[in-house]
């Protein structure tokens, strides 16, 4: 029995993770659940899975959750500090970090310092402070098992290859709903159009990131830290069918790819069971349903966010933290119809230009950079 805490239980990854746990009750037990604001779903999940603790991020909803769970043995907490407590419960073996955004940084650190293995779905944590997080994981002997489909694919391809040299990794991208479109078209796209991803069912923030290719840019930065790579070892190719989830090329020219249907329960299932593979009843891939698998180069001039992410990775320091914070602000602004699709990249680039660069940031530097960037980005949105 593996005891699992889920941070971000009411989001797309969190709800699918609970489906995996429900399908394997003899293997997994929930020890903690958290949500930012979806109190109703959190209450429903808590009553169903009976964790030791639940955390509601929005402190104004604490009383509603506490009242609903009165009469149970479930401990109810609220706020950011409570997330760190949920992440470091003594009874927990594995923490799934499925919180969206840089708010996942502190709980991930708390989990690592408590020597809990991490199933990482919160890519922003490694984007913001990859050197810090990977250093702590080594210090405390903690495994970071990626849940993003692309990084899970790379992780699976590298099993048994510890002594062999990676020449390059290829992260695949579906291209999103605007694949092949020109900048003139993108200037006028709507929120509704951007939220129609062709292959994956995801939350609003990551869906917009996929449409702008920022999601792939953040994955490039995440891959650098997960697999200890140089920027020249990472490439992105567009693969509209989303069947090959990523590839590894070794120094002898041989390549490995991990394939499967576009279903996030697969990498979640793998991360929970690792290092074993546990049987599942997920739908199987049929080659006859996909007679063609196609590939093309990512258009980094039209989808500028991907190029900005590569630039941030090359410059290093706190630059990835800047790009992540600015992106979170502009995506929210786009979803609120405050700015246009292409203006997101303009504001991110302005933040990268104007926010102070720190070559060797500390945790406090990261936190201050995140805060300053958000303030500046919001000012740019209002202008």
């Amino acid at each position: 029995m593996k005891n699992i805490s889920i941070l971000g239980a009411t989001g797309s990854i969190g709800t699918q993770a609970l489906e995996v746990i429900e399908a394997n009750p003899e293997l997994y037990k929930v020890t903690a659940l958290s949500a930012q604001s979806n109190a109703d779903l959190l209450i429903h999940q808590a009553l169903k899975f009976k964790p030791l603790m639940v955390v509601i991020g929005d402190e104004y909803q604490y009383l509603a959750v506490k009242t609903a769970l009165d009469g149970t043995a479930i401990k109810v907490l609220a706020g950011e500090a409570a997330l760190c407590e949920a992440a470091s419960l003594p009874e927990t073996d594995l923490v799934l970090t499925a919180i969206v955004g840089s708010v996942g940084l502190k709980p991930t650190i708390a989990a690592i310092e408590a020597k809990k293995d991490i199933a990482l779905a919160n890519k922003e944590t490694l984007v913001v402070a990859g050197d810090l997080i990977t250093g702590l994981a080594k210090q405390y002997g903690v495994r970071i098992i990626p849940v993003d489909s692309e990084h899970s694919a790379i992780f699976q391809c590298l099993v048994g290859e510890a002594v062999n040299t990676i020449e390059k990794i290829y992260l695949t991208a579906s291209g999103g709903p605007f694949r092949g479109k020109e900048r003139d078209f993108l200037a006028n796209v709507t929120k509704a159009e951007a939220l129609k991803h062709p292959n994956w069912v995801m939350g609003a923030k990551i869906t917009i990131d996929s449409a702008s290719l920022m999601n792939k840019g953040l994955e490039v930065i995440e891959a650098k830290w997960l697999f200890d790579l140089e920027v020249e070892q990472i490439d992105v190719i567009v693969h509209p069918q989303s069947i090959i989830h990523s590839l590894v090329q070794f120094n002898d020219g041989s390549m490995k790819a991990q394939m499967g249907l576009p279903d996030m329960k697969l990498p979640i299932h793998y991360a929970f069971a690792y290092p074993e593979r546990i049987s599942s009843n997920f739908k199987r891939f049929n080659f006859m349903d996909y007679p063609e698998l196609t590939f093309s180069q990512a258009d980094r001039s039209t989808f500028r966010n991907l190029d900005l992410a590569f630039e941030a990775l090359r410059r290093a320091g706190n630059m990835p933290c800047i790009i992540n914070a600015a992106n979170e602000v502009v995506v929210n602004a786009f979803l609120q119809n405050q700015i246009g699709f292409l203006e997101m990249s303009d504001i991110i680039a302005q933040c990268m230009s104007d926010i102070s660069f720190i070559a060797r940031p500390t945790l406090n530097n990261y936190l201050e950079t995140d805060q300053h960037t958000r303030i500046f980005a919001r000012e740019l949105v209002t202008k």
Side-chain angles (χ1 to χ4, degrees):
M1 180 70 70
K2 188 176 290 186
N3 294 324
I4 300 174
S5 291
I6 301 178
L7 307 183
T10 59
S12 175
I13 296 294
T15 53
Q16 291 179 83
L18 287 172
E19 290 177 24
V20 171
I21 291 173
E22 185 177 16
N24 299 275
E26 74 287 357
L27 298 176
Y28 310 121
K29 179 175 173 54
V30 178
T31 48
L33 297 170
S34 85
Q36 175 56 31
S37 57
N38 194 340
D40 290 341
L41 182 53
L42 180 64
I43 291 165
H44 172 77
Q45 292 173 339
L47 292 171
K48 183 174 184 177
F49 291 94
K50 299 178 174 57
L52 301 175
M53 176 189 294
V54 299
V55 176
I56 182 74
D58 181 357
E59 297 185 25
Y60 291 105
Q61 300 200 58
Y62 167 77
L63 187 58
V65 178
K66 182 74 170 70
T67 301
L69 298 180
D70 275 348
T72 73
I74 301 169
K75 185 177 182 180
V76 180
L77 299 174
E80 183 183 63
L83 280 174
C84 294
E85 186 173 342
S88 53
L89 276 178
E91 294 85 355
T92 295
D93 302 308
L94 179 73
V95 178
L96 172 62
T97 58
I99 301 172
V100 175
S102 59
V103 69
L105 177 59
K106 287 184 179 179
T108 303
I109 291 173
I112 292 172
E113 290 178 341
K115 298 185 178 180
K116 310 298 179 185
D117 286 339
I118 307 295
L120 185 72
N122 171 243
K123 66 173 64 67
E124 293 87 351
T125 291
L126 284 186
V127 171
V128 169
D131 56 342
L132 176 66
I133 295 297
T134 53
L136 286 171
K138 290 177 184 176
Q139 178 183 341
Y140 287 94
V142 165
R143 294 186 298 196
I144 298 179
I145 307 162
V147 170
D148 268 351
S149 62
E150 295 82 0
H151 299 93
S152 175
I154 300 298
F155 188 86
Q156 292 181 57
C157 289
L158 291 176
V159 171
E161 300 283 0
V163 300
N164 296 317
T165 302
I166 299 171
E167 188 168 280
K168 182 167 280 194
I169 68 164
Y170 293 89
L171 298 172
T172 55
S174 70
F178 306 134
R179 177 174 55 87
K181 302 299 184 183
E182 303 292 335
R183 288 183 65 81
D184 288 347
F185 176 88
L186 296 179
N188 299 305
V189 300
T190 66
K191 174 179 71 174
E193 290 170 329
L195 286 170
K196 292 180 181 178
H197 196 283
N199 298 336
W200 296 93
V201 177
M202 305 175 290
K205 194 266 182 184
I206 192 172
T207 304
I208 299 301
D209 282 347
S210 295
S212 72
L213 289 197
M214 178 56 86
N215 188 53
K216 206 54 51 180
L218 299 179
E219 288 175 2
V220 166
I221 299 171
E222 183 184 9
K224 182 264 184 296
W225 295 111
L226 280 171
F227 307 114
D228 192 22
L229 302 170
E230 300 299 327
V231 64
E232 295 79 14
Q233 293 175 282
I234 308 171
D235 203 352
V236 173
I237 53 173
V238 175
H239 170 50
Q241 296 82 18
S242 296
I243 295 301
I244 294 178
H245 297 301
S246 280
L247 309 95
V248 179
Q249 180 173 297
F250 295 95
N251 62 336
D252 63 352
S254 179
M255 301 182 78
K256 279 188 178 181
Q258 189 266 332
M259 302 172 63
L261 293 170
D263 182 350
M264 280 306 301
K265 289 196 290 292
L266 285 167
I268 293 168
H269 185 71
Y270 180 82
F272 282 1
Y274 181 81
E276 298 179 61
R277 286 191 183 271
I278 304 298
S279 295
S280 79
N281 60 358
F282 303 146
K283 184 180 177 181
R284 269 35 180 183
F285 173 77
N286 184 343
F287 278 96
M288 297 305 101
D289 293 335
Y290 295 86
E292 289 187 348
L293 299 180
T294 60
F295 307 91
S296 61
Q297 191 68 42
D299 184 352
R300 287 164 56 172
S301 59
T302 299
F303 294 90
R304 190 181 173 199
N305 278 353
L306 180 57
D307 208 50
L308 292 174
F310 271 102
E311 179 186 343
L313 182 56
R314 280 191 294 269
R315 294 172 65 181
N318 66 335
M319 196 56 63
C321 179
I322 292 170
I323 197 174
N324 179 73
N327 182 63
E328 289 187 22
V329 171
V330 298
V331 168
N332 183 66
F334 176 72
L335 288 169
Q336 299 299 320
N337 299 311
Q338 295 173 329
I339 59 174
F341 189 82
L342 292 180
E343 288 176 306
M344 292 192 290
S345 300
D346 296 337
I347 292 173
I348 293 168
Q350 191 69 46
C351 289
M352 293 173 69
S353 173
D354 291 7
I355 299 294
S356 297
F357 175 71
I358 303 171
R360 297 185 178 278
T362 64
L363 175 58
N364 283 337
N365 292 146
Y366 285 127
L367 296 175
E368 289 171 1
T369 296
D370 182 84
Q371 183 179 23
H372 293 163
T373 304
R374 289 172 191 276
I375 293 170
F376 184 59
R378 290 188 190 107
E379 290 173 354
L380 294 175
V381 166
T382 61
K383 292 177 182 179

